[in-house]
Amino acid sequence: MSTTPATHRAPAPPLPPGAPIRPGAVPQTFQNPTRVITGEGCAAEVGPHAAKLGATKVMVVSDPGVVRAGIPTSVIESLHAAGIETLLYSEVEPDPRIELVEATLAAYKAFGGQLIVAVGGGSAIDVATATAILATNPGPLRSYEGWEKFPNSPDPLFALPTTVGTAAEVTPFVVITDAAAKFKFTIGSPKAAPMIAFLDPMLVLGLPASVTAATAMDALTHAIESYTSLLSTPISEGLALQAIRMISANIRIAVANPNNLAAMNALLIGANIAGLAFSNTRLGNVHATAHPLGAFWKIPHGVANALMLPHVMEFNALACPLRMIDIAQAMGESVAGMSMAGTTEHDAALRAVQAVRRLEADIGIPARLRDLGVDKASIPDMAADAMKSANIAINPRKTTINEIISLYESAW
Ligand SMILES: [Fe+2]
């Protein structure tokens, strides 16, 4: 096992310039407040759990595509069977804006809801979480940007993911777009993590290949960035490696056949495990550079991550070659005998980058930013926004704005 240095959980104390960081030198925390229920058909457990909380009015938050596919039906039926009144709110859009959260809150208040159940991808769960926060805190939402900025516990929230990526069902972070500022901001607090996550593979069966590919690449990026984060701990490392194994072993199969229950279940659980890891370590330069691609060019989050991932891994390999070798091995690469063959540790580390590039080609991820309509002239502005991300400081290789510009240019 490699020995990337670790500091403690966010917010990390400032270190004097040049100070050595030793694993275990500062207190480290591992916390995951969400109860996780897994298994085929577990969505039917939502009603009994809501009844146990004493809820009589529950708002189900989803998006139009998920509702058209009939996915929330099993959840709503289980709530009705428990004698609970429901309101289905299905206005969620990708890259949700502050205004959408405010509209959701108005519907929730008018209904008199006591519990929110999110059925959807990261956007639906983020909107539901932000709504639950504003139900008990005066706002405005943007004033809660950062870590532990809102005072009151949100209304209770259950989450059922219908994609295999964000792990929003278990993370303490919410990402909302400030459209006026063209900026995605993050609200984080252990209180923001959903109360219960239900991972029902029946809800992701038949997912379109492009959605599986993009969201599973988001999950793989979470696991890889968590494993190389300067905040990683022995606990998070075990979770991150297991997530890399499960996701990389099943992603091709699930893209090829979305009705393969075992593969979809493995991706759903792998993504969740990656979420448990990165909730405690944050991420790195991939997510820092991916968020501006979403805010400026509406590139789906998973695709933006997938595009930046090999470039950032190549950049980071210099800083943490042993970690990269671990990642290569977790992805099924063999690095045995590479030193005897006269290659360097760095060459072995780059096997992880090659594995990611091959995987992305196999599952149809676009290779270049220019193919997605990104104007090269926007790179300096995106780089300036990327530098505002708290993920830059915990990336394993120290990064300047010029290096962020170079990363965007190589991906372009
Ligand atoms: Fe992500």
Side-chain angles (χ1 to χ4, degrees):
M1 187 61 67
S2 53
T3 53
T4 297
T7 65
H8 87 23
R9 205 195 183 303
L15 292 161
I21 311 170
R22 286 176 293 110
V26 289
Q28 295 179 316
T29 299
F30 187 90
Q31 182 178 15
N32 277 110
T34 303
R35 179 174 182 177
V36 180
I37 298 176
T38 60
E40 188 181 336
C42 72
E45 299 298 312
V46 168
H49 281 281
K52 231 183 269 175
L53 289 179
T56 57
K57 287 185 159 207
V58 172
M59 182 160 83
V60 177
V61 173
S62 193
D63 68 59
V66 168
V67 172
R68 263 197 309 277
I71 295 172
T73 307
S74 57
V75 175
I76 291 169
E77 282 173 356
S78 87
L79 287 162
H80 290 168
I84 292 166
E85 195 185 331
T86 60
L87 170 70
L88 175 60
Y89 186 84
S90 60
E91 307 299 316
V92 172
E93 59 197 28
D95 301 311
R97 295 163 296 116
I98 294 169
E99 293 77 11
L100 176 71
V101 176
E102 288 165 351
T104 312
L105 178 71
Y108 181 65
K109 289 232 159 125
F111 173 58
Q114 304 135 334
L115 162 71
I116 302 178
V117 176
V119 183
S123 298
I125 298 173
D126 279 354
V127 167
T129 309
T131 303
I133 291 169
L134 284 186
T136 57
N137 292 280
L141 195 61
R142 182 90 198 248
S143 68
Y144 303 138
E145 178 178 357
W147 185 250
E148 292 197 307
K149 293 288 167 62
F150 60 86
N152 305 318
S153 287
D155 268 8
L157 172 73
F158 296 172
L160 294 89
T162 61
T163 62
V164 290
T166 66
E169 74 277 4
V170 78
T171 60
F173 307 113
V174 185
V175 181
I176 299 292
T177 298
D178 182 339
K182 272 194 176 180
F183 188 70
K184 283 191 169 189
F185 64 99
T186 302
I187 298 169
S189 165
K191 291 190 289 227
M195 181 183 281
I196 310 180
F198 298 81
L199 306 185
D200 185 345
M202 298 308 287
L203 272 48
V204 295
L205 220 53
L207 204 62
S210 60
V211 180
T212 301
T215 56
M217 282 309 301
D218 182 29
L220 184 63
T221 306
H222 294 155
I224 290 174
E225 292 212 281
S226 175
Y227 192 64
T228 58
S229 162
L230 291 181
L231 298 182
S232 71
T233 69
I235 303 172
S236 70
E237 288 159 20
L239 292 164
L241 280 180
Q242 174 66 357
I244 294 169
R245 282 186 208 108
M246 289 179 76
I247 296 163
S248 56
N250 287 283
I251 188 166
R252 289 178 175 89
I253 300 165
V255 166
N257 180 8
N259 290 316
N260 185 318
L261 187 66
M264 295 306 285
N265 193 42
L267 288 187
L268 191 60
I269 295 176
N272 186 268
I273 294 172
L276 297 175
F278 92 79
S279 294
N280 286 274
T281 62
R282 303 208 304 260
L283 295 154
N285 283 356
V286 182
H287 273 73
T289 51
H291 282 163
L293 287 169
F296 279 67
W297 299 103
K298 296 204 179 310
I299 297 178
H301 178 65
V303 175
N305 278 320
L307 273 157
M308 297 308 301
L309 180 61
H311 302 279
V312 172
M313 287 174 75
E314 205 162 13
F315 174 78
N316 285 347
L318 213 57
C320 52
L322 297 180
R323 295 252 149 178
M324 290 295 172
I325 292 170
D326 291 342
I327 292 166
Q329 288 177 315
M331 293 186 73
E333 293 288 308
S334 171
V335 295
M338 281 191 74
S339 58
M340 289 192 304
T343 52
T344 65
E345 201 170 72
H346 186 68
D347 291 330
L350 292 179
R351 280 286 174 92
V353 184
Q354 291 156 12
V356 166
R357 286 193 203 281
R358 269 205 310 278
L359 173 61
E360 293 189 353
D362 285 350
I363 61 173
I365 296 285
R368 300 180 304 188
L369 292 179
R370 69 172 80 177
D371 299 333
L372 295 170
V374 173
D375 183 349
K376 200 177 181 191
S378 66
I379 287 179
D381 286 345
M382 290 196 296
D385 276 1
M387 290 302 287
K388 292 178 197 159
S389 165
N391 288 319
I392 297 276
I394 47 94
N395 186 76
R397 181 169 170 183
K398 197 170 177 296
T399 312
T400 64
I401 187 162
N402 285 336
E403 286 163 333
I404 292 289
I405 288 173
S406 298
L407 287 168
Y408 275 130
E409 283 174 350
S410 20
W412 193 81

